[in-house]
Structures are given as C-alpha cells and as structure tokens.
Amino acid sequence: MFWLMFLLHVVLARSASPKSLPVVKPGCRPKCGDINIPFPFGIGHGCFREGFGLSCQQNATDGSYKLLSGDFEVLDIMLASHQVRMNNPISWQFLNKTTGNFTESKWEMNFTSTPFTISHVHNKFIAIGCGILAYTSMTDYKDDSYITSCASVCFKAESSVNSTCSGIGCCETPIPPGIKYYNIWFDHVNFINVWRFVGSLRSAALVEAGNFKFNTSSVNDDDSWNTRNRQVPIMMNWFISHETCKSAQRNKTNYACVSSNSVCINNQNGSGYICNCSRGYRGNPYLAEGCQDINECEDSSICLGAICMNTPGGYRCSCPPGTTRPIDGEGCYADVITGHKMPIGITIVIGAGAGAALLILVLAILVLIRGLKVRRNKKLKQMFFKQNHGLLLQRLISSTEDTAGRMKIFSLEELDKATNKFDQARILGCGGHGTVYKGILSDLRVVAIKKSKIIKQSEIDQFINEVVILSQINHRNVVKLFGCCLEAEVPLLVNEFISNGTLSDHLHVQGRNSLPWKDRLRIALETARAISYLHSAASISVFHRDIKCSNILLDDCLTAKLSDFGASRSVQIDQTGITTIIQGTYGYLDPEYYQTGRLTEKSDVYSFGVILAELLTREKPYSICMSSESGSLIARFITVVRENCLLDILDPQVVEEGPREQLEEVAVLTERCLRLRGEERSGMKEVEVRLEVISSSTRDFEHPSLQRSLSLLDQKSS
Ligand SMILES: *[C@@H]1O[C@H](CO)[C@@H](O)[C@H](O)[C@H]1NC(C)=O
Ligand SMILES: *[C@@H]1O[C@H](CO)[C@@H](O)[C@H](O)[C@H]1NC(C)=O
Ligand SMILES: *[C@@H]1O[C@H](CO)[C@@H](O)[C@H](O)[C@H]1NC(C)=O
C-alpha cells in the first residue's frame, strides 16, 4: 500500500508540474533589462512579426538598458490587454520675456504605418503653463483629422489646486479613439494684458492620465514636468495588421492566431484584430502551442469535495464508481441506504484517479459494505418509505385545495395491470431520474408511468419534489400529472402519455425527417410559454433547472410539452436568488449559476437559449468536458451573431425555409439569452413576447401594432 501511494505520488507530481509557457520564439531574447518581450514583439531577425520589431540598447556608463520602438522608449509590454506603455517627449516653448524671443521643442508622434494606436481610455491631452492656449491636431486610423485645445490661465500661481487639473495652471481634455498621429502648438492668452501673469514656459503632451498628477509647483519654470526634454508615459494599444478576422483567416500564411485553442477578435475602435487564448487556456496565442490548458483542479474548492479531473479546456467533477454526489451536500457518498450517509476518504480517492489498482480496492470494499448493510437495513428502509409517504401527503394537503381533485392516488394493482406487470416491452425510455413505462388505465387513458430506478434518499426527495410541483401546475405545454402510487417499494408517478418522442430525437437522431422551421419556431414559442408560466404565472414560482431538448416532449401534432421536474425548485416570489448545489445538464448549464451556485430564473433562460441555438443549427451543444478545437456550439454561435455571419452556422434547411429577418431576430434573441451575466439576459416573459412577435411576423411583419410592441420591448430592455 505504501509503495502504491508512493508511486502515485511520483506520477502525480510529474504530471502536475506546470509546463513553462512559451513566450518568445525559440532562440530569441526574452527580455531587455527588466522588460519582458512577448512575441509578436521581438528583437532581431526572425524574432518578431512585421511592425513589432524592437531594439535594446545598453547605456555604456551605468549599464542600464533601454528598449526602443523606433524613436520611442518602451516601458512595458502587456500581452493580455494588448497594450504598450511608451515614453513620450513633451512639447515645450520657452519665452524670453526680455527679448520676446522663443525657444521651443515641438514633438509629433506618427504611428500611421505601425500596429499602434493611442489609447483614448488611458490618455488625455494635458497642458501646463500660465496664460496659454495649447492645441493638438490628431489624425485617426481612417485618416480623419481632429483639432482640440485647452486653455490655462493663472492670476496667481498659488490659486491652482494640487492634483486637480482644472484650468488654473493646468488644463486637460479627452481624446477620440483610434488616433495614430498628433502634433502640438501653442498660442498665448493675455486678456488682462499683464505680462507677469503669463508664464515663460508652456508645455503639453498626450499623457497616461493615471500616471500623471498635477503639482502646483509645475507652473514654475524649473519643475520636473517642465524640465526640457523630459518624457512622460503614454499608453498605446496594438493590433495585428489592417484586416478583419474573417479576411485574415482566408489566407492562413500570415494569420497571427497560430496557437491551437486561440480565438480571433476584431478591433472595435479601428482596423485590425487581436488573438486571445480560448476559454480554459492561457499563454501566448501568437505562438504555435502558445495557449496551454489551465489546470482548474489546482483550485481545490472547485469540485466541492468530489474528484476534480482536468480536461483540455475545462474540468470535470466526478465521484468514484459506486458513489454519488448528494443533491444537498458536498463530497462523495457510497450508494448504500443507511440512517447516516457515509463519506469515503476523498484524498485516497484522488490517488485512485491515476491508479486503477486502488480503484478496484475501493470497489471491492464498497461491494462488501453494500452486501452487509443492505441486509441489515432492509427494515430501516421500510420505515423510511412510510415517513416519505407521510411527508408527501402532508405537503400535498397543505397546498392548494383543487390539487386533490386533479390528483389521484393509484393502487399498485391498478398500475400493475396497466403496464402488464411492468413488462420490459413497455419501457419507453430511461429519464434522468428513472425508467418510464407505457400503461393503459382501466378507463383506456394512455399514461406514462415513471419508476425510480434505484432507491436512494436523494431520488425519493426528487420524486416528492416532482409530485408537489406538477400537482400545482396546469398548462397546455407542461406534461400533466394524473397521480402517483405510494404503495410500491419504489415510488411511481403517473403522467400524461406524450406519443411522439423528445425534441432531441427529432433534431439529432440521424435519418429522421427533420423538423420544418415553422414547427421549430412554434416549439420554441410553446416552450417559452411554459417556462414563462412556471416563472411567473403559476401560484408558486418554479425554476425548472434542467431545461434541455430531451426534456421537451412532442405529441402527435408536434405540440411541445415540458417534462421532468425532478430537479426543479419552487421558490417564494420575493426570493430573487437561492444558493443550491449545482444541478443540471452540462451544455445547458448556466455558467454563472455553475460558478456562483446562485440559482435565478435567468439560469432557465440560459438553458432555453441553448435550445434556441440547437433549433437554429441542428447541432448538439458540447459538454464543457469535450471542448473541441472549434469550441462549443454556444461559443461559436455567439461569435457568429456578433460578427454578423450567421449563415456560417445555421442549419441549411432553416436557411432555406425561414425568412431572413426572422432567423436574424431569433439569433439575436438567442444571443441575449446566452449572455454570460444573468442580469444581462432577457427575462422569460420578454423572450416569450418576442418569440410571439417574431412568429406572427411570417404573416404580417409590417403590422403596426407588432412594430409598436417591438419598440416598446426595445425601450424596456435598453
Ligand atoms: C531675438 O530677436 C531679435 C529680433 O526680434 C533678433 O535680432 C535676435 O537675434 C534674437 N535673438 C536670438 C538669441 O535669437
Ligand atoms: C506619417 O508617416 C507616414 C508614413 O509612415 C507618412 O505617409 C505620413 O505623411 C506621416 N504623417 C505626417 C503628418 O507626417
Ligand atoms: C497568402 O499570403 C502570402 C503572403 O502574404 C502570399 O505570398 C500568398 O500568395 C497568399 N496566398 C493566397 C492563396 O492568396
């Protein structure tokens, strides 16, 4: 055992040692002095991308280094934010008051044919002096010119206030985005015509505002800011070439995002693009193999006590075979019914991830324990069921009165007859929480009877949950509950029988006639109605928590019926967010809920957005564990909507059948449902109304009342 652990330790230590991330091209200089030089920047032939070449100079007297880009000194290179901090000489003008002569040093910055633009977020035009007008003329990437100016007047130098640049001794003004060239000139204002209020030195520059503090002594001629030839930091943004992502991707020879697992992003405020590592990766996207997987499992809290397994671009939380994560707690527990839940040594189990031998050992122990405990606890189990039945009945009776009329308690005999003694041939499928049989009741109604597979406390809880929630819901697009059976050892649920399979079957099973766009849109609308009803219209607010294509059933007329409420939560209307253990299906799971554990109605909105994306593309959403090179459906979908190239991803059949505006509107709505932050997503009611408007638009797109309600919605959401 000791040796096994030792071996595991060695294996884990080796595989967990972080690979050093490549930052520069092989054989190239990674630093100049203290400054890192990540590719695409570089020094020397073959070490940089065109436009990103730098040089490094060493001062012969003090041995210090200076990194230069053309004439400008580079202070810092930031790869993740795509910025460079440079030193920018200030422009100044000195007035000799006795001769009236000027000496001056006027600078311009010309980045026209470089990858750099001046950041309008970080920099300001700042001028210092008394009785001055400072002008700057700027040209942006489109070759449009701007002139802006600021004026500073002093009656006494002391009247200016430290660190506020407010027009007394110092003035500042913001600059437009995308600037590539500027120059500066001065004029003087002397309205009271008293020369002693006019300073003899005036200076100005574009300055990184966060790095600049005005000091009243600056207006005096010998201050450090005013010292001639002094430089101040300026923040530059940088981009790759002048192309968009799309055109750059067409000819891959010069395409910059060469790392696998990298993505291309267009410049919003100018031309060109940048590359980033995909989600779940970090490093340098401009180098082959530069983006490397993040080991999320280093954060020990990430799986709440279950085993964390790092996967490319993501991670997976799982429990060893024979154990499960409980719905209401942390860690892994053996699948044994006892009065107490039995945690197993998680640390040992982590080792088992790498050693199959240990797994077998754990399994053997579990089987042994199960054999012993199952026998000993058979009596205990029966007692539990009595308790559960009591609890169920109690909760039902305390809920609304009309429930009793709608719900029937079936006897086991009745259901035995209906399903021909639970004949294997009657099995319709295995849902998330049990097996479903087809049955015919004595009054010839066809029903679906759901039977929990394994007897586990958590599943009984879910069963009771489902009965309570379904009994209070009555909606055309939600599967009806006829009743339940409490006599059987395993709880049974009797639902309306829906004949035509799940939406997932219709969309994703090969060789099946695919759904026409008209039907897809209607199914989306009906599902939205059902969810919106659950959220707001029912007597209690219900979050479904497991909305996915395989939980949407279709009847003979392809009417959608929402099913499987095992994971649902009912909440008081005023409870806006409840913290729960994460439940749901990967691929449909709201990333915000996944991260914070806070369940809100927006989590259902996200899952619904995934369904909309599936309806539009007829592709399955990937689970987070299987991110492929091209990324998940959702990531790709959001990208194409934002880049306005929808046709790349839509199901060809949909493109053929659906009107263009309609598809675009649904896509935009989908993107709104899939926003990362819940608060930015549309509410379910809004989604429903929008779908309502979009579907009616096939008939009458220009109808004034529809236009009106659309614009009302726009106002509401903006
Ligand atoms: C100052 O200006 C005067 C004429 O305005 C000129 O004669 C003189 O040479 C100038 N002095 C210097 C130092 O440039
Ligand atoms: C800036 O530089 C470009 C070439 O690099 C040149 O064509 C342009 O005229 C320059 N602009 C100014 C205002 O000097
Ligand atoms: C792609 O770009 C390279 C260099 O920019 C060029 O030499 C090559 O001809 C281009 N290929 C195509 C197919 O356009």
Side-chain angles (χ1 to χ4, degrees):
M1 187 66 179
F2 168 78
W3 284 110
L4 188 61
M5 291 304 282
F6 176 73
L7 206 69
L8 280 176
H9 192 79
V10 171
V11 169
L12 283 178
R14 182 163 301 171
S15 63
S17 72
K19 282 184 234 163
S20 64
L21 297 173
V23 186
V24 293
K25 289 221 152 175
C28 292
R29 199 170 160 172
K31 272 178 177 237
C32 173
D34 292 334
I35 306 170
N36 290 317
I37 311 170
F39 191 81
F41 291 89
I43 297 172
H45 182 72
C47 286
F48 57 87
R49 189 183 169 85
E50 194 194 329
F52 292 91
L54 303 174
S55 62
C56 187
Q57 290 178 356
Q58 188 172 18
N59 186 322
T61 46
D62 63 3
S64 63
Y65 288 92
K66 204 170 187 182
L67 184 62
L68 292 173
S69 166
D71 292 335
F72 292 94
E73 183 182 0
V74 173
L75 303 174
D76 204 359
I77 302 176
M78 287 146 279
L79 184 63
S81 59
H82 291 83
Q83 288 174 323
V84 164
R85 184 174 286 122
M86 288 185 183
N87 242 348
N88 178 23
I90 59 174
S91 299
W92 54 263
Q93 198 178 45
F94 183 75
L95 169 70
N96 187 333
K97 284 185 182 170
T98 45
T99 66
N101 288 4
F102 284 108
T103 40
E104 61 184 10
S105 160
K106 284 200 276 186
W107 274 87
E108 57 175 23
M109 260 187 149
N110 189 355
F111 288 105
T112 308
S113 46
T114 72
F116 304 105
T117 58
I118 299 171
S119 163
H120 70 289
V121 178
H122 292 88
N123 302 301
K124 279 186 172 149
F125 175 54
I126 292 182
I128 288 178
C130 281
I132 59 163
L133 261 173
Y135 294 89
T136 173
S137 160
M138 295 172 278
T139 310
D140 70 5
Y141 65 100
K142 287 180 292 197
D143 227 19
D144 286 341
S145 292
Y146 309 84
I147 293 180
T148 176
S149 70
C150 72
S152 164
V153 185
C154 324
F155 294 102
K156 277 190 289 184
E158 305 85 70
S159 58
S160 57
V161 186
N162 252 351
S163 74
T164 57
C165 190
S166 56
I168 304 169
C170 171
C171 61
E172 61 173 34
T173 184
I175 61 168
I179 296 300
K180 295 193 92 80
Y181 169 88
Y182 85 84
N183 66 16
I184 286 175
W185 72 93
F186 298 98
D187 201 351
H188 60 258
V189 271
N190 186 17
F191 17 56
I192 43 176
N193 213 11
V194 180
W195 275 108
R196 70 189 169 88
F197 293 132
V198 177
S200 49
L201 193 77
R202 37 194 80 164
S203 51
L206 260 60
V207 185
E208 187 184 359
N211 255 338
F212 170 76
K213 270 215 177 65
F214 171 62
N215 192 324
T216 38
S217 62
S218 311
V219 281
N220 296 327
D221 299 350
D222 55 354
D223 172 71
S224 56
W225 153 269
N226 272 340
T227 306
R228 300 172 202 186
N229 302 326
R230 160 110 192 207
Q231 308 205 346
V232 286
I234 185 169
M235 189 68 104
M236 312 295 294
N237 297 323
W238 52 271
F239 300 92
I240 304 292
S241 77
H242 313 292
E243 296 177 292
T244 59
C245 289
K246 214 172 168 186
S247 67
Q249 279 157 351
R250 230 173 271 139
N251 183 350
K252 294 261 181 188
T253 39
N254 218 8
Y255 180 50
C257 311
V258 295
S259 175
S260 44
N261 305 308
S262 67
V263 290
C264 182
I265 299 163
N266 281 318
N267 177 10
Q268 304 293 324
N269 272 324
S271 64
Y273 62 91
I274 55 170
C275 312
N276 271 341
C277 287
S278 315
R279 225 168 99 167
Y281 293 83
R282 71 175 151 220
N284 188 337
Y286 299 99
L287 292 171
E289 302 314 313
C291 290
Q292 292 189 356
D293 183 35
I294 297 171
N295 185 0
E296 289 86 352
C297 297
E298 278 171 6
D299 174 2
S300 56
S301 66
I302 201 154
C303 281
L304 293 165
I307 300 168
C308 179
M309 204 152 85
N310 189 31
T311 62
Y315 62 94
R316 184 162 37 208
C317 300
S318 60
C319 284
T323 64
T324 2
R325 293 180 83 182
I327 162 176
D328 54 356
E330 299 182 0
C332 294
Y333 293 89
D335 292 344
V336 178
I337 302 292
T338 65
H340 319 279
K341 286 177 172 173
M342 202 188 65
I344 57 171
I346 307 261
T347 40
I348 296 178
V349 173
I350 288 172
L358 201 57
L359 261 182
I360 292 167
L361 200 70
V362 171
L363 262 176
I365 292 173
L366 284 177
V367 169
L368 208 69
I369 292 176
R370 179 191 288 238
L372 286 173
K373 299 266 169 166
V374 162
R375 251 167 65 161
R376 207 188 298 162
N377 289 302
K378 205 163 181 175
K379 278 196 174 142
L380 201 66
K381 213 157 59 183
Q382 284 166 355
M383 204 180 74
F384 255 114
F385 274 108
K386 270 197 190 121
Q387 271 175 18
N388 290 327
H389 297 179
L391 180 67
L392 170 62
L393 288 173
Q394 206 179 345
R395 278 180 71 181
L396 279 178
I397 289 163
S398 65
S399 64
T400 50
E401 275 177 27
D402 64 329
T403 312
R406 244 186 281 139
M407 267 248 321
K408 184 181 168 188
I409 308 288
F410 289 90
S411 72
L412 183 58
E413 202 186 344
E414 214 170 343
L415 296 188
D416 246 357
K417 219 189 280 172
T419 56
N420 197 12
K421 293 205 163 61
F422 294 97
D423 189 352
Q424 296 281 323
R426 294 286 188 91
I427 291 181
L428 290 170
C430 295
H433 311 288
T435 315
V436 183
Y437 294 85
K438 183 176 179 177
I440 301 166
L441 298 180
S442 47
D443 60 4
L444 295 182
R445 270 188 305 178
V446 184
V447 291
I449 298 171
K450 193 157 123 184
K451 183 178 186 179
S452 294
K453 260 180 298 195
I454 313 161
I455 315 155
K456 251 191 301 182
Q457 186 58 43
S458 65
E459 292 192 358
I460 294 169
D461 289 345
Q462 290 189 351
F463 167 83
I464 291 173
N465 203 29
E466 189 163 357
V467 173
V468 172
I469 285 175
L470 276 176
S471 70
Q472 298 174 51
I473 287 171
N474 185 15
H475 189 270
R476 180 169 180 272
N477 299 113
V478 175
V479 168
K480 273 195 188 47
L481 176 72
F482 289 148
C484 63
C485 169
L486 303 171
E487 287 175 17
E489 192 187 28
V490 189
L492 296 167
L493 206 59
V494 183
N495 277 326
E496 171 186 23
F497 174 70
I498 310 294
S499 51
N500 215 344
T502 69
L503 178 56
S504 181
D505 299 340
H506 283 264
L507 281 181
H508 302 310
V509 172
Q510 291 291 322
R512 215 172 159 137
N513 275 348
S514 105
L515 287 168
W517 167 244
K518 209 158 48 68
D519 284 325
R520 294 193 207 181
L521 186 59
R522 186 182 39 74
I523 287 166
L525 173 60
E526 286 169 349
T527 310
R529 279 182 191 147
I531 301 170
S532 167
Y533 170 83
L534 292 176
H535 283 183
S536 51
S539 55
I540 43 159
S541 196
V542 174
F543 300 159
H544 186 285
R545 286 222 284 177
D546 199 10
I547 289 173
K548 55 181 172 182
C549 276
S550 52
N551 278 344
I552 294 172
L553 305 178
L554 300 177
D555 70 6
D556 288 329
C557 317
L558 294 175
T559 305
K561 306 264 185 184
L562 194 55
S563 79
D564 209 338
F565 286 72
S568 306
R569 282 277 163 129
S570 54
V571 288
Q572 302 300 330
I573 298 286
D574 57 353
Q575 255 179 295
T576 50
I578 48 179
T579 308
T580 69
I581 288 294
I582 316 294
Q583 250 199 322
T585 306
Y586 286 133
Y588 292 89
L589 196 58
D590 170 14
E592 189 180 61
Y593 166 48
Y594 188 73
Q595 270 177 6
T596 61
R598 257 172 53 95
L599 177 70
T600 68
E601 56 163 352
K602 297 296 176 67
S603 305
D604 281 350
V605 174
Y606 181 90
S607 310
F608 180 71
V610 178
I611 293 186
L612 283 181
E614 272 183 273
L615 287 169
L616 283 168
T617 61
R618 213 182 167 193
E619 280 185 49
K620 281 187 189 173
Y622 283 108
S623 76
I624 59 156
C625 314
M626 307 166 39
S627 84
S628 68
E629 202 171 304
S630 50
S632 75
L633 167 65
I634 299 313
R636 275 185 297 134
F637 189 87
I638 289 173
T639 314
V640 299
V641 173
R642 298 209 171 135
E643 286 173 6
N644 212 359
C645 42
L646 251 189
L647 289 181
D648 292 357
I649 201 170
L650 290 185
D651 178 9
Q653 185 194 351
V654 162
V655 176
E656 205 170 288
E657 295 175 358
R660 185 68 193 265
E661 307 92 348
Q662 205 178 49
L663 296 179
E664 272 168 10
E665 292 218 31
V666 177
V668 168
L669 179 62
T670 308
E671 190 267 341
R672 274 202 218 171
C673 294
L674 293 174
R675 297 269 164 92
L676 222 49
R677 288 158 56 84
E679 61 201 57
E680 290 177 9
R681 290 175 208 149
S682 306
M684 207 58 221
K685 187 72 206 167
E686 189 194 331
V687 173
E688 180 198 346
V689 173
R690 246 174 206 285
L691 278 172
E692 205 92 56
V693 173
I694 293 170
S695 355
S696 53
S697 67
T698 18
R699 276 168 266 137
D700 199 354
F701 193 66
E702 297 300 325
H703 196 285
S705 76
L706 293 179
Q707 289 303 319
R708 210 162 34 241
S709 45
L710 258 179
S711 66
L712 272 179
L713 273 173
D714 278 334
Q715 281 167 18
K716 222 174 93 189
S717 59
S718 63

